[in-house]
Amino acid sequence: MVYVFLAKGFEELEALTPVDVLRRAGVEVKTVGVTGKRVTGSHGISINCDITADEAEFENLDGIILPGGMPGTVNLEKDETVIKFIDYAADNNKIIGAICAAPMILGRKGLLQGKNAVCFTGYEKELTGAHVLDRPAVCDKNIVTGW
């Protein structure tokens, strides 16, 4: 199971493209509404999420995806459940995907220390301890970051 966490102000393309691609590949994916079952993205598109954050479980979790967007990234970082799932994924070597501005959450938590990472231009200073690369996406062990 892969959870894609959505908070108010998320970047729609960064959230729904991974959901679509993974489902086409046969991966079980659920969108998780951090700010309720229905969440509105940064461009005013509302999504009915599969579950809410309080329904999310660690059992059978293979990974998590954190889409960027503003203020979506900030709202993800403020959410206690999201932080618990980031910590669980990091501690249990599960896949952590972070797109656009969302890698800053991982950087602020110290999870990028010594790892290769990328982010949306302007957030590089938030990737504490990372080797920031100039490419669209990078995978370093269990952490995948992208513009």
Side-chain angles (χ1 to χ4, degrees), residues 12-130:
E12 292 92 341
L13 190 61
E14 295 166 9
L16 297 180
T17 300
V19 171
D20 183 40
V21 170
L22 289 170
R23 285 184 179 169
R24 288 175 191 230
V27 176
E28 187 176 3
V29 179
K30 287 190 179 180
T31 53
V32 181
V34 171
T35 50
K37 187 91 169 182
R38 187 170 178 86
V39 183
T40 302
S42 60
H43 297 98
I45 300 171
S46 294
I47 303 297
N48 288 321
C49 295
D50 297 312
I51 61 173
T52 60
D54 60 337
E55 297 173 290
E57 300 176 346
F58 296 119
E59 187 176 336
N60 299 318
L61 185 71
D62 297 311
I64 62 170
I65 298 175
L66 308 171
M70 284 299 175
T73 296
V74 173
N75 290 332
L76 286 175
E77 187 173 32
K78 290 179 185 176
D79 188 82
E80 194 174 296
T81 299
V82 172
I83 298 305
K84 286 179 183 175
F85 272 87
I86 292 170
D87 291 342
Y88 177 84
D91 291 345
N92 292 279
N93 203 35
K94 304 295 182 180
I95 296 168
I96 302 172
I99 306 165
C100 191
M104 78 178 195
I105 300 169
L106 306 180
R108 290 177 179 176
K109 290 186 64 51
L111 296 176
L112 299 178
Q113 190 69 39
K115 292 189 179 339
N116 294 319
V118 299
C119 63
F120 186 74
T121 303
Y123 292 93
E124 296 87 355
K125 67 182 182 300
E126 303 296 338
L127 306 186
T128 306

